[in-house]
Amino acid sequence: MAQQLLMPKATAVWLVDNTALSFDQIAQFCKLHPLEVKAIADGESAQGIKGLDPIATGQLSRDEIARGEANPNHKLKLSEPKVRVPDSKRKGPRYTPVSKRQDRPNAILWLVRNHPELKDAQISRLVGTTKTTIEQIRERTHWNSANLTPMDPVTLGLCSQIDLDLEVERASKGRPLPTAAEAGATLEAAQETEKLGYNFDREEEKEIDADAVFAKLKSLKSDRKDDEDDDY
């Protein structure tokens, strides 16, 4: 990892105010343009920036500054750091404690069954396994397939619910919407439901005969009159 100057503009402000280095030397050391260093010296730039002493931060020595002041062509060099910061390791599969490694196949089986949209790389990130193991569990060729039981990796403590939701969301992006058959739709089409309850067979409807209706009413009236006469 290459060394980098901390707060270059604040360092330039300090060098302008406290040394006799040229603008080009300060610009080269602080990775700035010479005109920008000149603007700092003229008070036109970095007015609100407090100077940072590179000697106090261990990035520049007094001897190096003296050599630069004595020779305008001298290029300032960063001092070697006293403490080496190790390079960050490349991210790999999630580390799984030894006590929980026996639960990984069960978690993989649960993910394969409940979230088939997840890719092998995503499953590997969640539970810290290999692509070979995932393929064996998918194809039921794992040495312990007969004894595996699907178990939620969140419950097992192999990953967090947030990580699982994030991977599922990533896998779902770009997928086509499910069809009615895939979603298990049971609703009938609107054209079909409009006919329900209103599809009468007009041929079976009986025609109403007005004469027969009035004749029946007359017979009822006559029967009632005869009953009243019998009462007297």
Side-chain angles (χ1 to χ4, degrees), residues 110-162:
W110 188 92
L111 291 171
V112 168
R113 288 188 179 182
N114 292 276
H115 295 288
E117 70 276 11
L118 289 176
K119 298 179 181 178
D120 291 352
Q122 293 178 301
I123 296 176
S124 179
R125 283 198 298 268
L126 286 172
V127 299
T129 186
T130 62
K131 186 176 180 180
T132 303
T133 304
I134 299 172
E135 291 178 353
Q136 290 175 352
I137 294 176
R138 285 185 190 275
E139 299 171 0
R140 306 296 295 179
T141 58
H142 190 267
W143 66 272
N144 197 28
S145 294
N147 300 321
L148 294 183
T149 304
M151 298 183 70
D152 189 347
V154 177
T155 304
L156 294 173
L158 295 175
C159 67
S160 66
Q161 187 65 52
I162 296 176

Side-chain angles (χ1 to χ4, degrees), residues 95-113:
Y95 173 75
T96 305
V98 177
S99 59
K100 295 183 179 181
R101 289 180 186 177
Q102 60 185 359
D103 296 328
R104 280 190 300 192
N106 295 329
I108 296 171
L109 183 59
W110 188 92
L111 291 171
V112 168
R113 288 188 179 182

Side-chain angles (χ1 to χ4, degrees), residues 23 30 32 43 45 71 78 80 89 93 96 103 108-109 113 117 127 133 156-157 171 185 214 218:
F23 294 160
C30 298
L32 301 174
S45 176
N71 181 10
L78 280 171
E80 288 293 329
K89 295 182 179 179
T96 305
D103 296 328
I108 296 171
L109 183 59
R113 288 188 179 182
E117 70 276 11
V127 299
T133 304
L156 294 173
F214 284 113
K218 287 180 181 179

Side-chain angles (χ1 to χ4, degrees), residues 1 29 38 54 57 70 72 74 76 94-95 113 120 122 124 135 144 181 191 196 200 224:
M1 184 177 179
F29 180 72
K38 183 178 184 302
T57 58
H74 178 73
L76 300 176
R94 181 188 295 272
Y95 173 75
R113 288 188 179 182
D120 291 352
Q122 293 178 301
S124 179
E135 291 178 353
N144 197 28
Q191 293 83 352
L196 297 177
F200 298 107
R224 185 175 181 182

